[in-house]
């Protein structure tokens, strides 16, 4: 009996390790058995916050959207069952089961909640939700200040099925460079601008902003047209001027009209706006496709600027007419010596376009060439055309020497910058024409009368330059270009003036004094 007990005890002693190793699932036969599926207790299941629903949170009415539950990394690849529920104001609209993805076409504006309940194969369960805003009108608001956009306005926009999308830019960021922060921000927000029904630009210069938007649009995979969008700019500039300033930036976007809002009126504009068709009467519209604009001078200028002509060039043209009127008054009524109406205008125009240092340099070179031409003409008795040809040859000769000398002393920066534009040759030859007229042979520039004449010519040229170079004058004439007809009437009136000139009174003051003494 004892032997049997000992044998039984030995068998039990040997079996215990075998069963123990089997419970520990030690690999046998080189690991040919498959790994068992692990089981998790509720304590190690991920929290509901570790799950989320992928999909758009802001969708337009009539569009189809797809949503899917995203699993945490620890459960990636796991199988699960999911039930989607669409709710509005605690009312269940739809429940879908048996599909990993939820596809829905939204037809009613407002807020909705998509709720997903899922059960994983390991027994873990989770409930996750996503709020969706369904809108009818999208407004992209480009500005540097959103402090006035409060919760009341957001709720009002939501009740009217309008989504207000803020796009922050800053005037200090710069818009002209392709890699500027403003351009990068607009590139990131391009989907909102692309899908927007209304674009409002407030607080920043709209010209570079629209240019940056066009650059982002052109570089996108789908460069859409803005023809059906409404664009409003907030500016204190009147529409009759702003329309010309914006034209070159508006045309690449294929916009046919732009609305102008006064500063501080965006809140009232949004409050009174229901849809894109219900544009507020607060906006003053600039109509680039209006046929009637061809019947006014302002409309023609707006058309030219829309077709690509520089607004600065058009303003300079109008300024020349006003400067000519000023010279006519100084010549006919004041009695200044202007060496012809064209020469002060040509000098002032050269300084305006090419710069003061550049123009004065070549005017000085032209003065030396005129003196040298006079020296040779008196000794060789040259005819008029021969003297003009010699003047141009000497002028070019002295100009080359002067530029080389400036280059040798590394002070030719303004000259090199000016000659980067081949049209700089025109101011160069304008200077020799002015010098030939002012420093002519029959006037001794070093005499008292010559100095007085040069001083008067300088004053008249400065007046012309101030008119041509004035940005406010250009903007005023661009705003009211019909004043050009009034300038023509004034020129006719000044041309009919036959009274004594102001300088004639000054010249004859001694004679008048003697006559009074004799009386």
């Amino acid at each position: 009996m004892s032997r049997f007990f000992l044998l039984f005890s030995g068998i039990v002693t040997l079996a215990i390790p075998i069963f123990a190793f089997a419970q520990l699932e030690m690999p046998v036969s080189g690991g040919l058995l498959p790994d068992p599926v692990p089981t998790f207790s509720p304590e190690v299941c991920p929290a509901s916050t570790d799950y989320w629903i992928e999909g758009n949170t802001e969708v337009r009415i009539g569009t189809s959207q797809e949503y899917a539950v995203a699993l945490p990394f620890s459960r990636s690849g796991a199988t699960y069952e999911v039930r989607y529920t669409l709710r509005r104001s605690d009312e269940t609209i739809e429940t879908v089961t048996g599909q990993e993805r939820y596809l829905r076409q939204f037809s009613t504006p407002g807020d909705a909640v998509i709720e997903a309940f899922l059960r994983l194969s390991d027994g873990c369960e989770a409930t996750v939700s996503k709020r969706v805003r369904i809108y009818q009108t999208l407004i992209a608001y480009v500005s540097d200040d959103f402090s006035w956009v409060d919760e009341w306005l957001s709720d009002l926009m939501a009740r009217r099925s309008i989504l207000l999308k803020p796009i922050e830019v800053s005037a200090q960021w710069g818009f002209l460079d392709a890699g500027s922060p403003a351009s990068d921000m607009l590139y990131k927000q391009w989907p909102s601008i692309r899908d927007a029904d209304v674009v409002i630009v407030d607080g920043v210069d709209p010209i570079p902003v629209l240019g940056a938007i066009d650059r982002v649009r052109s570089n996108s995979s789908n460069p859409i047209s803005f023809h059906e969008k409404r664009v409003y700019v907030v500016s204190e500039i009147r529409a009759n001027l702003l329309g010309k300033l914006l034209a070159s930036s508006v045309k690449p976007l294929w916009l046919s009209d732009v609305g102008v809002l006064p500063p501080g009126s965006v809140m009232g504009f949004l409050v009174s706006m229901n849809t894109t068709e219900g544009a507020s009467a607060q906006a003053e519209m600039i109509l680039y496709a209006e046929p009637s604009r061809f019947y006014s001078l302002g409309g023609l200028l707006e058309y030219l600027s829309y077709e690509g002509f520089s607004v600065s060039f058009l303003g300079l043209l109008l300024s020349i007419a006003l400067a000519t009127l000023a010279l006519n008054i100084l010549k006919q009524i004041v009695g200044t010596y202007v060496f012809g109406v064209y020469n002060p205008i040509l000098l002032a125009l050269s300084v305006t376009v090419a710069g003061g240092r550049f123009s004065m340099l070549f005017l000085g070179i032209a003065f030396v060439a005129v003196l040298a031409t006079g020296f040779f003409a008196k000794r060789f008795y040259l005819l008029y055309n021969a003297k003009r040809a010699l003047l141009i040859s000497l002028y070019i000769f002295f100009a080359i020497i002067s530029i080389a000398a400036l280059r040798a002393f590394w002070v030719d920066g303004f000259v090199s910058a000016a000659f980067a534009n081949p049209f700089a040759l025109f101011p160069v030859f304008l200077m020799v024409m002015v010098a030939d007229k002012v420093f002519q042979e029959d006037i001794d520039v070093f005499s008292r009368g010559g100095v007085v004449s040069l001083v008067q010519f300088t004053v008249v040229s400065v007046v012309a330059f101030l008119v041509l170079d004035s940005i406010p004058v250009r903007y005023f004439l661009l705003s009211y270009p019909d004043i050009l007809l009034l300038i023509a009437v004034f020129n006719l009136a000044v041309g009919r003036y036959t009274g004594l000139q102001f300088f004639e009174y000054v010249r004859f003051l001694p004679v008048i004094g003697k006559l009074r003494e004799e009386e």
Side-chain angles (χ1 to χ4, degrees):
M1 184 69 180
S2 60
R3 293 179 180 177
F4 178 79
F5 178 77
L6 292 174
L7 180 62
F8 179 77
S9 300
I11 294 174
V12 171
T13 303
L14 292 175
I16 289 175
I18 296 175
F19 282 107
F21 280 107
Q23 291 296 323
L24 292 176
E25 299 178 357
M26 295 295 290
V28 294
S29 303
L32 296 178
L33 293 179
D35 293 337
V37 178
T39 59
F40 297 91
S41 62
E43 288 76 12
V44 297
C45 285
S48 296
T49 54
D50 294 335
Y51 301 85
W52 67 95
I53 299 178
E54 295 179 335
N56 294 327
T57 58
E58 298 165 345
V59 299
R60 187 187 293 272
I61 289 179
T63 60
S64 297
Q65 302 292 327
E66 189 177 65
Y67 298 90
V69 176
L71 303 179
F73 179 76
S74 61
R75 295 297 188 273
S76 59
T79 59
Y80 60 90
E81 296 179 354
V82 61
R83 179 179 73 244
Y84 292 100
T85 304
L86 179 65
R87 305 181 187 277
R88 285 181 181 269
S89 301
D90 297 330
E91 179 185 356
T92 301
I93 305 299
E94 182 183 32
T95 300
V96 177
T97 59
Q99 298 180 5
E100 290 189 3
R101 296 181 177 274
Y102 177 56
L103 182 63
R104 172 74 181 183
Q105 183 176 8
F106 296 94
S107 57
T108 304
D111 290 342
V113 176
I114 300 175
E115 185 179 274
F117 172 77
L118 70 158
R119 179 184 293 111
L120 277 71
S121 57
D122 57 15
C124 291
E125 296 179 352
T127 301
V128 62
S129 61
K130 188 182 190 69
R131 182 172 294 275
V132 180
R133 168 71 60 84
I134 303 100
Y135 62 88
Q136 183 175 0
T137 303
L138 174 60
I139 300 178
Y141 181 61
V142 184
S143 180
D144 60 349
D145 181 21
F146 302 98
S147 59
W148 58 272
V149 180
D150 53 12
E151 185 177 354
W152 175 84
L153 179 62
S154 300
D155 292 341
L156 178 64
M157 295 291 101
R159 289 196 301 269
R160 295 183 176 181
S161 306
I162 299 175
L163 176 62
L164 184 63
K165 193 72 173 179
I167 300 176
E168 182 180 4
V169 295
S170 175
Q172 286 76 25
W173 289 352
F175 293 93
L176 299 181
D177 299 331
S180 65
S183 295
D184 293 342
M185 179 60 69
L186 291 175
Y187 180 79
K188 294 177 182 178
Q189 297 288 347
W190 168 243
S192 298
I193 300 176
R194 177 196 60 201
D195 300 335
D197 303 287
V198 178
V199 178
I200 302 176
V201 181
D202 182 16
V204 289
D205 188 354
I207 299 176
V209 170
L210 293 178
I213 291 177
D214 177 60
R215 184 165 55 249
V216 175
R217 180 193 68 87
S218 302
N219 295 331
S220 65
S221 58
N222 183 22
I224 64 170
S225 170
F226 276 49
H227 180 70
E228 296 183 356
K229 299 183 185 298
R230 288 189 177 273
V231 176
Y232 297 91
V233 298
V234 181
S235 176
E236 58 186 7
I237 303 176
R238 293 181 60 86
N240 53 357
L241 173 61
L242 189 61
K244 302 176 183 65
L245 299 177
L246 290 177
S248 59
S249 301
V250 164
K251 185 179 181 181
L253 297 173
W254 298 95
L255 285 170
S256 58
D257 52 58
V258 174
V260 182
L261 296 170
S265 63
V266 177
M267 172 70 82
F269 175 77
L270 293 176
V271 169
S272 61
M273 181 178 182
N274 291 326
T275 62
T276 52
E277 290 76 16
S280 173
Q282 299 179 45
E284 185 177 1
M285 301 304 298
I286 303 173
L287 304 176
Y288 291 101
E290 185 65 34
S292 60
R293 64 179 178 156
F294 296 105
Y295 298 103
S296 66
L297 190 57
L300 289 175
L301 290 177
E302 197 169 275
Y303 167 75
L304 291 175
S305 58
Y306 188 78
E307 292 298 325
F309 282 82
S310 170
V311 176
S312 178
F313 168 75
L314 297 175
L316 185 59
L317 279 181
L318 296 174
S319 299
I320 291 176
L322 184 60
T324 305
L325 173 61
L327 298 189
N328 194 14
I329 294 174
L330 290 174
K331 172 62 178 175
Q332 296 295 118
I333 298 178
V334 179
T336 55
Y337 197 80
V338 297
F339 295 97
V341 175
Y342 292 107
N343 291 287
I345 292 293
L346 293 179
L347 178 59
L349 190 60
S350 177
V351 174
T352 302
V353 174
R357 290 190 299 173
F358 181 87
S359 301
M360 292 302 102
L361 170 65
F362 283 93
L363 182 62
I365 296 173
F367 173 68
V368 175
V370 168
L371 294 181
T373 301
F375 174 79
F376 287 110
K378 290 179 181 179
R379 282 158 178 76
F380 296 100
Y381 301 103
L382 300 177
L383 298 177
Y384 179 82
N385 291 333
K387 287 190 292 185
R388 301 287 83 74
L390 179 62
L391 172 61
I392 293 176
S393 300
L394 292 176
Y395 177 61
I396 296 175
F397 175 74
F398 291 137
I400 293 174
I401 294 177
S402 301
I403 294 174
L406 292 175
R407 180 62 178 174
F409 291 99
W410 298 94
V411 291
D412 68 325
F414 65 96
V415 178
S416 302
F419 277 117
N421 184 358
F423 290 100
L425 288 175
F426 289 97
V428 167
F429 281 95
L430 288 180
M431 289 302 96
V432 72
M433 295 171 60
V434 172
D436 184 33
K437 182 66 177 180
V438 175
F439 309 117
Q440 50 189 316
E441 297 176 10
D442 54 346
I443 295 180
D444 186 1
V445 295
F446 300 104
S447 64
R448 181 177 180 274
V451 172
V452 171
S453 299
L454 287 178
V455 170
Q456 294 180 6
F457 174 78
T458 302
V459 171
V460 172
S461 300
V462 169
V463 171
F465 168 74
L466 293 177
V467 174
L468 296 180
D469 195 56
S470 174
I471 300 300
V473 169
R474 295 186 191 182
Y475 283 176
F476 175 76
L477 294 175
L478 285 170
S479 301
Y480 308 99
D482 294 329
I483 202 173
L484 187 63
L485 301 177
L486 187 60
I487 291 175
V489 173
F490 274 110
N491 276 318
L492 292 176
V494 173
R496 296 283 297 175
Y497 179 75
T498 57
L500 290 177
Q501 298 174 337
F502 174 76
F503 280 162
E504 288 181 339
Y505 283 104
V506 176
R507 189 183 311 150
F508 292 111
L509 276 179
V511 178
I512 296 174
K514 289 182 179 181
L515 291 176
R516 289 178 179 177
E517 290 177 359
E518 292 178 358
E519 293 177 354

